């Protein structure tokens, strides 16, 4: 971002090793007075005097400190915002995602609530239309049309939430208007990245399932043939999943680094390389936890809809549940999406930040961008990393 230089991509090739972010030197041209050298404390150093003998331990309260010097301890990592500026553990990513939403709840909930109202209202209207005219094909066509519309709206809100989370990492306030101003130049590119990732993953699955689809279209329902042709579909599934994770950091790279579409996809591949399983595991765990939260929110609204339907009819049949359940589920869906959508976006952005800290010493740049006194930041082992 032009106003936060900490997000600028590195000018030199990134270190190949995962731990390079901890000891990488400052970027060329960075102010040298912003770096505090790491080493022993000032003052007299131990001379040739007698060394502690065998069995002599430091006195009570004298613990080995930072760099092996008694009385010195590693300073805590700077934390200008919702995460400490060092490699993050699983718990810190999840906690940082929730803290990002809490600290910027006006912008985060304002975005997700507005989108949830539009999406759930459209889906509810189409469902009610389909319920009223079950034999009409127009409601089914309208339902298909809402899918890309929902995706388009979701792309825009994810882009805006990326800006919100980036400000939360730096500990800086941002308004809804400010998020729109910062994200607007990149939204069309973000749509292109999202569409391209979707085409790559869906195209992989389509390629694997094409023989099976053609067989079913030609009315061949032989169980042996269908079973045989289902094998390429099963083989394409892990490939599509692998590609989806490899490209999962393209959106935050595009939004925060002001990249183009191809450059953002390449950045995602480089950042995910060597950490595929970690990113996959954290993403899946976050999605599972948010799905549980969503079900907990939706359950009482569904029960209310069922209760209303039963109270309004004496001779109940399965169809009479339709309108009550649809409307109550829409209300529950609005609340659920308002809560879970910002957290989902925040997890993805924090995974991007974590990978750049590990590989490119982004923590130093973020500390400068946040206005903290520059320092060489010690990186203790991230819990749960």
């Amino acid at each position: 971002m032009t106003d936060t230089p900490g997000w600028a991509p590195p000018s030199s090739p990134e270190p190949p090793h995962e731990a390079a972010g901890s000891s990488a030197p400052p970027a060329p041209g960075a102010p040298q007075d912003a770096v505090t050298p790491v080493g022993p404390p000032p003052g007299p150093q131990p001379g040739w005097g007698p060394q502690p003998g065998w069995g002599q331990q430091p006195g009570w309260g004298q613990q080995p400190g930072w760099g092996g010097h008694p009385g010195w301890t590693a300073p805590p990592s700077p934390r200008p915002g919702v995460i400490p500026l060092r490699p993050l553990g699983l718990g810190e990513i999840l906690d940082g995602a929730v803290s990002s939403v809490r600290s910027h709840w006006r912008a985060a909930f304002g975005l997700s609530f507005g989108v949830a109202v539009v999406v759930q209202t459209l889906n509810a209207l189409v469902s009610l239309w389909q319920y009223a005219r079950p034999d009409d094909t127009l409601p089914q066509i309208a339902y298909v049309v809402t899918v890309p519309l929902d995706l388009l709206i979701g792309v825009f809100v994810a882009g805006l939430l990326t800006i919100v989370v980036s400000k939360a990492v730096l500990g800086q306030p941002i308004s809804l208007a400010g998020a729109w101003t910062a994200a607007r130049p990149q939204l069309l590119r973000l749509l292109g990245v999202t569409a391209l990732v979707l085409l790559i993953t869906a195209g992989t699955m389509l390629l694997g399932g094409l023989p099976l689809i053609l067989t079913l279209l030609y009315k061949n329902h032989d169980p042996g043939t269908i079973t045989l042709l289902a094998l390429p579909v099963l083989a394409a599934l892990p490939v599509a999943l692998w590609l989806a994770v490899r490209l999962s950091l393209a959106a935050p790279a595009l939004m925060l680094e002001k990249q183009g579409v191809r450059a953002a996809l390449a950045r995602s591949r480089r950042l995910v390389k060597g950490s595929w399983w970690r990113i996959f595991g954290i993403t899946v765990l976050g999605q599972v936890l948010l799905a549980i939260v969503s079900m907990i929110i939706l359950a009482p609204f569904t029960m209310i809809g069922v209760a209303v339907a039963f109270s309004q009819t004496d001779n109940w049949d399965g169809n009479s549940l339709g309108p009550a359940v649809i409307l109550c589920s829409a209300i529950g869906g609005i609340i659920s999406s308002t809560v879970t959508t910002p957290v989902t976006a925040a997890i993805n952005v924090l995974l991007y930040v974590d990978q750049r800290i590990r590989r490119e010493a982004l923590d130093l740049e973020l500390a400068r961008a946040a206005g903290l006194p520059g320092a060489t930041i010690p990186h203790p082992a991230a819990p749960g990393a």
Side-chain angles (χ1 to χ4, degrees):
M1 295 169 56
T2 56
D3 56 343
T4 51
W7 298 113
S11 57
S12 58
E14 59 188 6
H17 194 271
E18 187 75 13
S22 301
S23 57
Q32 298 299 319
D33 58 351
V35 178
T36 301
V38 180
Q45 300 297 321
W48 293 99
Q51 303 298 321
W54 181 56
Q56 291 179 324
Q57 303 295 329
W60 185 50
Q62 294 179 342
Q63 301 297 329
W66 186 30
H69 298 276
W72 278 62
T73 57
S77 300
R79 185 167 181 158
V82 295
I83 58 170
L85 298 184
R86 58 171 170 74
L88 303 175
L90 167 63
E92 289 170 330
I93 290 177
L94 298 178
D95 177 71
V98 176
S99 299
S100 299
V101 177
R102 288 170 52 191
S103 60
H104 294 75
W105 63 270
R106 289 183 178 87
F109 287 154
L111 285 169
S112 57
F113 177 76
V115 170
V117 168
V118 173
V119 171
Q120 294 295 330
T121 300
L122 289 175
N123 291 337
L125 291 175
V126 172
S127 298
L128 289 172
W129 188 10
Q130 191 170 10
Y131 170 80
R133 299 181 179 181
D135 298 329
D136 195 347
T137 58
L138 287 178
Q140 299 176 6
I141 297 174
Y143 181 77
V144 173
V145 171
T146 60
V147 174
L149 181 60
D150 294 350
L151 178 62
L152 177 64
I153 296 175
V155 167
F156 287 149
V157 74
L160 295 174
L161 288 171
T162 298
I163 303 300
V164 172
V165 177
S166 71
K167 292 295 186 180
V169 170
L170 296 173
Q172 298 173 353
I174 188 171
S175 63
L176 190 57
W180 168 254
T181 301
R184 183 175 54 188
Q186 292 292 98
L187 288 179
L188 288 180
R189 291 192 183 101
L190 179 62
L191 179 60
V193 163
T194 305
L196 195 55
V197 172
L198 184 61
L199 286 175
I200 291 173
T201 54
T204 302
M205 290 298 301
L206 181 61
L207 185 63
L210 188 59
L212 179 60
I213 295 173
L214 293 176
T215 300
L216 294 176
L217 288 176
Y218 280 102
K219 309 296 183 181
N220 185 352
H221 300 288
D222 179 64
T225 303
I226 292 177
T227 301
L228 182 63
L229 294 179
L231 296 179
V233 180
L234 297 178
L237 180 60
V239 176
L241 183 61
W242 179 78
L243 290 171
V245 175
R246 282 279 298 228
L247 303 176
S248 62
L249 303 184
L254 181 138
M255 294 300 299
L256 298 178
E257 299 178 18
K258 304 303 182 184
Q259 298 269 13
V261 173
R262 294 179 59 184
L265 295 174
R267 283 287 285 153
S268 180
R269 291 195 301 268
R270 289 196 298 269
L271 290 173
V272 174
K273 185 178 180 180
S275 303
W276 190 95
W277 283 106
R278 182 174 183 273
I279 293 174
F280 169 75
I282 294 175
T283 302
V284 170
L285 179 60
Q287 293 298 323
V288 169
L289 293 176
L290 291 175
I292 294 173
V293 172
S294 181
M295 287 188 294
I296 292 174
I297 295 174
L298 285 173
F301 289 94
T302 304
M303 295 173 62
I304 292 173
V306 173
V308 170
F310 272 110
S311 66
Q312 291 180 347
T313 181
D314 296 329
N315 299 320
W316 172 76
D317 58 11
N319 293 331
S320 60
L321 284 178
V325 173
I326 289 172
L327 294 177
C328 290
S329 297
I331 297 173
I334 291 173
I335 299 175
S336 173
S337 297
T338 301
V339 173
T340 58
T341 298
V343 180
T344 302
I347 290 175
N348 192 38
V349 176
L350 292 182
L351 282 171
Y352 160 82
V353 173
D354 178 55
Q355 286 302 109
R356 287 201 59 186
I357 288 176
R358 291 171 182 269
R359 294 179 179 271
E360 301 168 359
L362 181 67
D363 44 3
L364 300 177
E365 296 298 327
L366 293 181
R368 297 186 185 105
L372 298 179
T376 298
I377 304 175
H379 285 175

